[in-house]
Amino acid sequence: MDRPTALSRLTSNELFDIAVIGGGATGIGIAVDSASRGHSVALLERGDFGHGTSSRSTKLVHGGVRYLQQMDLPLVIGALRERGILRRNAPHLVHALPFVIPAYRWWERPYYAAGLTLYDLLAGAQSFGRSRLLSRRETIACLPGVERSGLCGGVLYYDGQFDDARLLITLAQTAADHGAALLNYAEVSELHKNPNGHIDYLTFTDGPTGQSHRLRAKVIINATGAFADSIRQMDDPAAPNMIAPSQGAHIVLDGSFLNSAPQSSAALMVPRTPDGRVMFAIPWHGHLLIGTTDTAIAEPSAEPIPLDKEIDFLLETAGQYLARQPTRADILSTFAGIRPLIRPRNNTARTASISRDHTISVSASGLLTLAGGKWTTYRKMAEDAVDQAAKLADLRPRPCITAKLGLHGRAADDDPLGPPVSTQAEGDALSVYGADASQIRSIIEENPDLGRALHPDLPILAAQIIWAARHEMAMTLEDVLARRTRALFLDARAAMQIAPRAAELMAGELGRDTVWQT
């Protein structure tokens, strides 16, 4: 991806088939779908790609065991299908991971086993592995850090794990590979209508220069997630809010709280917490990710912060299942994301009970809004949106091909089924780049110093910073530390310690001076 080239095209007065507002999973998924069909596509993101919820998830590609409990079978079946498609299309980013539900009452093992057997059956040929009962000894072997007092055994099942921000960047690269023009730090400021009341063009501001530009498209798609209402009300100030935002918080601990060795890589799942959700404790890049909450909020924030009560809740709940009680002093990082849930008609339902399905609406002026959904179903959401957009814009009908579209970086000889357990991502910092890893290794061959880890507690190489600035449209230090690598999300203190070196590396690539570095 090259920002100057994208900006030049977006300011050339080209009439695009589709313009997408929003550079998260929903928006970039639409860009991949529409560009791969042969449509001309423009995408504008006011911040960095994936700056919002798309980089702040629980890192799971799953059907949703909780939705199975709610008997939302269509959502589960659809998500399980998409889970299988995503592993096939991006085996360098999506891996099967074993999850264990520890049982502390005699009836819990058969009860959870019955539900997970149904989960396996619903997955069908897309299964990531069969669930099974575990003895007390087997449960401890899978989860060395589990609370052992009163432990009866457990149930093991398989689901998918991924790195959300890395998948988001990979999708952006895939869209660009198919001809889409994508631009980060480009905020839409106004929608302009013709005398008939239909949107004619939009204006956006290029962040680095502050210059305003006009962009024309046959149809505009609002894919701004939790902020969808702000674009809808830019189009029609009287449009009622359709989003019921909900915050999900996470904490990150040292990996030793659950697993004493890399080969003990199972995750822990708590099937029901006091707020009606499930809770996960997941091995992630040598750390332990714990989440999430479901807290209704009045307004979405561009920089959501976990509430004190959410952190306390996660620590307390995790402490009931971990042999070593975590405290605030043990927290390495925290983050929160905002779910763009669709507001129910009665407006009284708890956010935990609101469906995670998606919806499409079209305004009188022709603005198409895609809202709701979840990371796992991004591809099907995009397919539905592009189908509708093509009808609105009277585009030539072209079938969706993303169900069998290998994503950027997938090597021709990649095994679409992958290994049964996510060992690859834990052992090799470059595995998430897929076929691009060889080019990063070439950078290291030219300068071996770039192959050294920037910090002993972070699986991040200096060459990754070079690559992000050179090929992944990273514009700021936060882009690199939070999303192109996951330093800030893994260990905030360690990330701050590598920040000066990362800034120096970026400055060399972007032509910035020492003032920018500080």
Side-chain angles (χ1 to χ4, degrees):
M1 296 191 297
D2 179 74
R3 194 175 191 281
T5 300
L7 179 60
S8 176
R9 184 178 170 197
L10 291 170
T11 57
S12 67
N13 202 37
E14 174 181 347
L15 175 62
F16 289 89
D17 291 329
I18 295 175
V20 184
I21 307 174
T26 304
I28 291 186
I30 291 170
V32 171
D33 185 294
S34 50
S36 64
R37 296 193 199 199
H39 301 314
S40 59
V41 184
L43 181 142
L44 302 170
E45 162 56 43
R46 70 175 182 177
D48 184 32
F49 303 126
H51 176 271
T53 302
S54 295
S55 63
R56 303 165 187 252
S57 75
T58 314
K59 323 307 175 196
L60 297 180
V61 179
H62 62 142
V65 173
R66 181 166 69 92
Y67 312 129
L68 187 64
Q69 293 175 342
Q70 297 173 352
M71 295 306 294
D72 193 347
L73 297 185
L75 178 62
V76 174
I77 293 170
L80 286 171
R81 177 177 181 271
E82 292 303 317
R83 182 190 70 171
I85 289 173
L86 191 49
R87 180 171 64 165
R88 182 175 64 242
N89 290 346
H92 55 300
L93 288 163
V94 179
H95 310 272
L97 181 69
F99 288 76
V100 174
I101 303 176
Y104 293 90
R105 298 178 180 85
W106 68 267
W107 55 266
E108 290 179 333
R109 285 205 312 157
Y111 176 76
Y112 296 135
L116 291 168
T117 298
L118 175 59
Y119 196 60
D120 293 344
L121 290 173
L122 293 176
Q126 304 278 21
S127 174
F128 277 30
R130 294 184 60 183
S131 59
R132 65 183 179 90
L133 293 170
L134 297 178
S135 67
R136 184 178 188 275
R137 178 178 297 179
E138 289 173 323
T139 301
I140 294 171
C142 289
L143 305 175
V146 72
E147 173 57 55
R148 303 184 184 189
S149 177
L151 181 67
C152 302
V155 182
L156 178 145
Y157 74 100
Y158 290 88
D159 234 324
Q161 182 181 33
F162 77 137
D163 188 314
D164 49 11
R166 286 307 319 170
L167 177 57
L168 193 283
I169 296 301
T170 296
L171 286 169
Q173 292 171 313
T174 305
D177 291 344
H178 286 83
L182 302 90
L183 198 67
N184 54 358
Y185 296 101
E187 183 169 8
V188 172
S189 54
E190 193 171 356
L191 302 174
H192 300 264
K193 301 176 183 178
N194 61 26
N196 295 324
H198 194 276
I199 297 175
D200 194 26
Y201 65 93
L202 61 79
T203 53
F204 71 91
T205 302
D206 176 44
T209 64
Q211 293 182 343
S212 180
H213 302 280
R214 175 184 297 190
L215 187 145
R216 299 187 304 139
K218 297 176 183 177
V219 63
I220 296 173
I221 301 179
N222 172 18
T224 52
F227 299 92
D229 286 329
S230 65
I231 300 298
R232 292 176 63 247
Q233 289 156 10
M234 182 185 295
D235 171 49
D236 176 7
N241 287 340
M242 67 182 296
I243 302 297
S246 167
Q247 176 164 295
H250 303 78
I251 59 175
V252 179
L253 307 174
D254 186 83
S256 63
F257 271 89
L258 186 62
N259 297 311
S260 56
Q263 60 266 30
S264 303
S265 59
L268 183 151
M269 197 271 266
V270 177
R272 188 169 182 83
T273 63
D275 72 345
R277 291 189 59 79
V278 301
M279 192 193 79
F280 297 98
I282 303 169
W284 186 49
H285 295 303
H287 296 67
L288 185 66
L289 172 65
I290 296 177
T292 181
T293 58
D294 201 326
T295 306
I297 57 175
E299 298 288 342
S301 168
E303 295 291 346
I305 299 174
L307 304 174
D308 284 342
K309 67 178 183 179
E310 292 180 304
I311 294 175
D312 291 340
F313 171 82
L314 293 173
L315 288 171
E316 180 181 353
T317 305
Q320 297 172 15
Y321 292 87
L322 298 177
R324 181 155 53 112
Q325 174 78 49
T327 68
R328 283 180 175 265
D330 297 310
I331 296 176
L332 301 176
S333 182
T334 66
F335 61 92
I338 308 297
R339 303 180 189 89
L341 306 179
I342 305 302
R343 188 178 298 276
R345 291 182 179 179
N346 60 17
N347 204 29
T348 60
R350 294 186 308 119
T351 53
S353 65
I354 297 177
S355 174
R356 268 51 176 175
D357 213 342
H358 64 278
T359 188
I360 295 173
S361 67
V362 180
S363 73
S365 67
L367 176 69
L368 188 153
T369 296
L370 173 61
K374 47 186 277 189
W375 235 122
T376 305
T377 58
Y378 88 90
R379 190 207 64 83
K380 184 61 171 66
M381 294 167 61
E383 179 180 354
D384 292 347
V386 175
D387 284 346
Q388 184 64 36
K391 294 177 182 177
L392 287 173
D394 197 25
L395 302 179
R396 184 161 65 88
R398 291 167 172 165
C400 172
I401 66 171
T402 56
K404 296 183 178 180
L405 180 67
L407 299 186
H408 182 91
R410 176 182 169 175
D413 58 350
D414 270 345
D415 178 3
L417 295 181
V421 177
S422 174
T423 55
Q424 192 178 22
E426 294 294 322
D428 181 1
L430 302 184
S431 65
V432 293
Y433 296 89
D436 284 348
S438 61
Q439 297 182 59
I440 301 177
R441 292 190 180 97
S442 295
I443 294 174
I444 295 171
E445 289 175 3
E446 295 175 5
N447 184 350
D449 286 343
L450 298 178
R452 297 191 177 95
L454 292 174
H455 194 284
D457 295 333
L458 291 172
I460 296 166
L461 310 179
Q464 292 175 264
I465 310 298
I466 299 290
W467 182 261
R470 190 177 294 177
H471 297 289
E472 295 181 343
M473 220 180 279
M475 299 291 292
T476 71
L477 187 59
E478 184 196 352
D479 295 348
V480 164
L481 296 182
R483 289 171 291 279
R484 305 309 186 277
T485 71
R486 308 316 306 273
L488 276 172
F489 283 24
L490 292 170
D491 190 327
R493 185 176 294 106
M496 294 303 294
Q497 292 172 0
I498 69 172
R501 176 57 175 155
E504 179 185 9
L505 292 167
M506 286 191 72
E509 289 298 315
L510 300 177
R512 309 297 188 188
D513 57 21
T514 55
V515 175
W516 180 88
Q517 294 182 45
T518 57

